[in-house]
Amino acid sequence: MPLNLFTPDDTAILLIDHQIGTMSWVRSTEHAEMLANAVALAKAAKALDLPLVLTTSLEDHDQGPLAPEIAVVAPDEYAARIQRIGVVNAMDDPAFAAAVAAAGRRNLVIAGVTNDVCTVYPTLTALDQGYQVQVVADAGGSMSTQADEVALRRMENAGAGITSTNMILTELAKSWASPAGQALIPVVGELIPS
């Protein structure tokens, strides 16, 4: 079933486990680009007043704290982040699942730091629960390129849309002349290579 185009009125953004330690485990994508894309998604959520749900896992272990760049962009959401105690599938954590439900949006943009662990299971669960999901592939990665490709294929086969940061931001903008487009111009502009 094809996904409808997402709009600011019906979309929430979920950022899963963009933690300093966990980011260092990713080998399939460049760290600075991955972090810049995750930060851009947080900036877009704030610019468009979209629900933004943040979660971390085992902050006091090797995973470490959430990237401070995200905390700076979304301090309220950072303070309200769901701190999971080792639950792999964030949607299996009652507090995270409740935060997603409370967002009241049926379209979810999901980016996890590791596509083959942090992203895949919440995506599969959300799809099973009737959400439409777009996975932002370049705001995460995996320990190997092969692992990343397998995870993205699994999510796509289950019904998720696979997108990039720039693609989902321009989809939400729809027109640069619209209020959403105007709000997103600086966010998208920061992603343009110099």
Side-chain angles (χ1 to χ4, degrees):
M1 180 173 79
L3 292 170
N4 296 323
L5 292 178
F6 285 13
T7 69
D9 295 333
D10 62 12
T11 301
I13 295 179
L14 316 181
L15 296 181
I16 301 172
D17 301 347
H18 288 88
Q19 297 164 248
I20 293 171
T22 313
M23 284 191 291
S24 73
W25 303 342
V26 171
R27 297 288 182 268
S28 65
T29 192
E30 201 271 317
H31 293 181
E33 179 183 347
M34 175 178 62
L35 178 58
N37 290 332
V39 169
L41 293 171
K43 287 180 176 179
K46 298 299 284 184
L48 299 175
D49 198 26
L50 302 181
L52 172 64
V53 181
L54 305 177
T55 186
T56 58
S57 178
L58 299 171
E59 288 187 22
D60 58 345
H61 289 70
D62 290 345
Q63 289 88 335
L66 187 71
E69 294 87 345
I70 295 173
V72 167
V73 169
D76 294 339
E77 291 83 355
Y78 172 78
R81 73 194 181 282
I82 310 303
Q83 298 181 59
R84 304 185 330 279
I85 310 298
V87 176
V88 174
N89 179 351
M91 288 294 280
D92 284 344
D93 183 283
F96 182 80
V100 173
R105 307 292 174 95
R106 297 309 295 172
N107 291 341
L108 304 178
V109 172
I110 299 180
V113 69
T114 56
N115 289 326
D116 64 333
V117 179
C118 302
T119 311
V120 66
Y121 305 116
T123 294
L124 296 175
T125 300
L127 289 166
D128 190 54
Q129 292 176 358
Y131 290 96
Q132 289 198 111
V133 178
Q134 291 202 54
V135 171
V136 186
D138 62 356
S142 298
M143 286 193 257
S144 71
T145 301
Q146 183 179 22
D148 211 47
E149 291 169 355
V150 169
L152 295 172
R153 190 164 60 241
R154 183 173 181 188
M155 291 184 280
E156 185 173 41
N157 287 342
I162 307 300
T163 192
S164 67
T165 302
N166 195 48
M167 192 184 309
I168 193 62
L169 295 183
T170 54
E171 181 173 331
L172 291 168
K174 196 167 197 145
S175 164
W176 298 124
S178 71
Q182 289 292 299
L184 289 176
I185 283 174
V187 180
V188 172
E190 289 177 2
L191 296 175
I192 296 171
S194 56

